[in-house]
Amino acid sequence: MGQVVRIAIQKSGRLSEKSLEIIKNCGIKFGSDSRVLKEEASNFPLEFLYVRDDDIPSYVRDGVADIGIVGRNEFDEQAIDLEVIRDLGFAKCRLSIAVPNDFSYQGLASLEGKRIATSYPHILEGILSEKGIKATFVQVSGSVEVTPAIGLADVICDLVSTGATLAMNGLREVEKIYTSTAVMIGRKKMGNDEKAAILSRLLLRIDAVMRAASYKYVIFNLPEEHLDQVAGIVGGMKSPTVTRLMEKGWLSVQTVVAEDLFWDVFEQLKALGAQGILVTPIEKMTE
Ligand code: PRT
Ligand code: ZN
C-alpha cells in the first residue's frame, strides 16, 4: 500500500472550519465529519486526525501525525522543536496585557511584582525577562479575563481578537506583546521520501489557493488614451490583457490586483475614467 500523509486538525474550535476549507479548496475530497477521530481523503493520499489543538504539536513530534495546523501561540508556547511549514494567515489574534480599568499602567515596568494570569507563561516570560521585569505568573487554562475580578490576579495576558471579551470584563488592553495566526507545522525531516513528495504536492496546491485568496481579478473599460497609465497602477503584474471594445476609443482591460491594494487601484482607475469595473474572486492561481 502507498504512503499517506497524516494531518492533525483541531476537532472543534476556532481553527477547524478554516483548516478544512483550505484543504477542500485544494480539490481534496473527504467527509469532514469531525465527529470521527480519523478519516482518509478519497482522491489524495491524506489522512485527517481530529484532535484538541493543544495536542497537535506533540502528536507531530511523536509521529502520530506528520503535519498539523495550530495557532502559532500554541506552537510557540509549547516550544517543541518542529518547523513552521506555512503561515496560513487565518485565526489572526494577538496576545495582550490587559489591566482593570482603574489600574495605572505606565508601560511594561508597571508589571513588576504583579500577579499576571495567563495561559501563555512561556511566551510571556520570554518577553518580560528580556525587559528584566519580574512578575508572578498565575497559570490558568481558561476564563483568564475573570481572574482580576475574583482577586486571583492583578492583570492578565490573554489572546484578543475583537477586544469585546476584555471590555465586558472591565479590562483594557494596554500592550500587544505578540501576534499569532494559524500555521502548518511538521518535523524538520519527514524521514520518508514518499511522504515528503506527497507533502510537496499538497503545499503546491495550498500555495495556489492562498495566492488566489490574496488577489482579485479585475475587468474594466477604459478610454484608450489612458492605457499607458494603467500599467503603472496595476504594476507588479505582467502586462494586463487588453481587448478593443465596439465603441471607438474604448478598451476592455483585464488584470489581477492584490487584495490589499484593491481600493487604491480602484480609486486611481476611477480617476482615469475607467467604467464598469468588475471584480471577481480567483479560485486558484499559480506563479
Ligand atoms: O478544544 P480545543 O483545546 O481544541 O480548543 P481551544 O479552546 O483551546 O482553542 P480555540 O478554538 O478557542 O482557539 C484556537 C486558536 O484560535 C487559538 O490558539 C488562537 O491561535 C486562535 N484564536 C484567534 C483565538 C482567538 N482568535 C480568540 N479571540 N483564540 C482565542 N480567542 C479568545 C479570546 O481570548 C477571548 O477570550 O476568544 C475570546 C473572544 O475574543 P475577543 O477579543 O473577540 O472578545
Ligand atoms: Zn486548546
Side-chain angles (χ1 to χ4, degrees), residues 10-16 51-56 70-74 90-94 120 141 143-145 158-168 180-182:
Q10 188 187 25
K11 186 177 169 68
S12 137
R14 288 187 166 83
L15 305 172
S16 310
V51 294
R52 289 200 53 188
D53 67 343
D54 315 55
D55 295 332
I56 292 175
V70 68
R72 193 182 279 272
N73 51 294
E74 192 63 49
F90 68 87
K92 197 167 171 172
C93 58
R94 52 197 188 266
Y120 299 93
S141 56
S143 302
V144 182
E145 64 281 356
D158 198 13
L159 295 177
V160 182
S161 55
T162 61
T165 304
L166 295 182
M168 235 159 44
S180 177
T181 46

Side-chain angles (χ1 to χ4, degrees), residues 220-234 240 242 249-251 253 268-275:
F220 52 91
N221 295 333
L222 184 82
E224 195 166 357
E225 65 264 29
H226 293 313
L227 186 59
D228 288 346
Q229 286 148 280
V230 163
I233 294 172
V234 299
V242 179
W250 281 83
L251 302 172
V253 181
Q268 293 180 62
L269 290 177
K270 282 299 257 187
L272 284 185
Q275 290 182 3

Side-chain angles (χ1 to χ4, degrees), residues 69-200:
I69 298 179
V70 68
R72 193 182 279 272
N73 51 294
E74 192 63 49
F75 175 59
D76 282 347
E77 180 61 25
Q78 296 191 15
I80 290 181
D81 191 27
L82 297 168
E83 189 183 11
V84 170
I85 301 173
R86 285 292 182 280
D87 188 330
L88 300 173
F90 68 87
K92 197 167 171 172
C93 58
R94 52 197 188 266
L95 190 60
S96 290
I97 305 285
V99 304
N101 286 327
D102 58 5
F103 185 103
S104 150
Y105 185 82
Q106 317 286 340
L108 283 174
S110 298
L111 301 177
E112 182 71 37
K114 295 288 188 283
R115 295 168 303 160
I116 311 178
T118 189
S119 309
Y120 299 93
H122 178 76
I123 297 176
L124 178 61
E125 164 70 27
I127 286 158
L128 292 189
S129 68
E130 215 172 82
K131 308 266 179 204
I133 294 161
K134 288 203 177 60
T136 307
F137 297 149
V138 180
Q139 192 167 347
V140 284
S141 56
S143 302
V144 182
E145 64 281 356
V146 306
T147 56
I150 61 174
L152 200 59
D154 303 306
V155 305
I156 71 165
C157 172
D158 198 13
L159 295 177
V160 182
S161 55
T162 61
T165 304
L166 295 182
M168 235 159 44
N169 287 278
L171 299 170
R172 82 195 143 87
E173 185 179 7
V174 290
E175 201 93 52
K176 298 172 181 139
I177 62 167
Y178 172 96
T179 57
S180 177
T181 46
V183 290
M184 179 187 283
I185 54 171
R187 292 182 296 281
K188 289 187 170 150
K189 260 185 126 55
M190 188 64 106
N192 174 312
D193 291 348
E194 205 180 326
K195 282 191 183 188
I198 296 168
L199 177 60
S200 300

Side-chain angles (χ1 to χ4, degrees), residues 213-224:
S214 57
Y215 287 93
K216 296 281 177 225
Y217 199 70
V218 180
I219 306 168
F220 52 91
N221 295 333
L222 184 82
E224 195 166 357

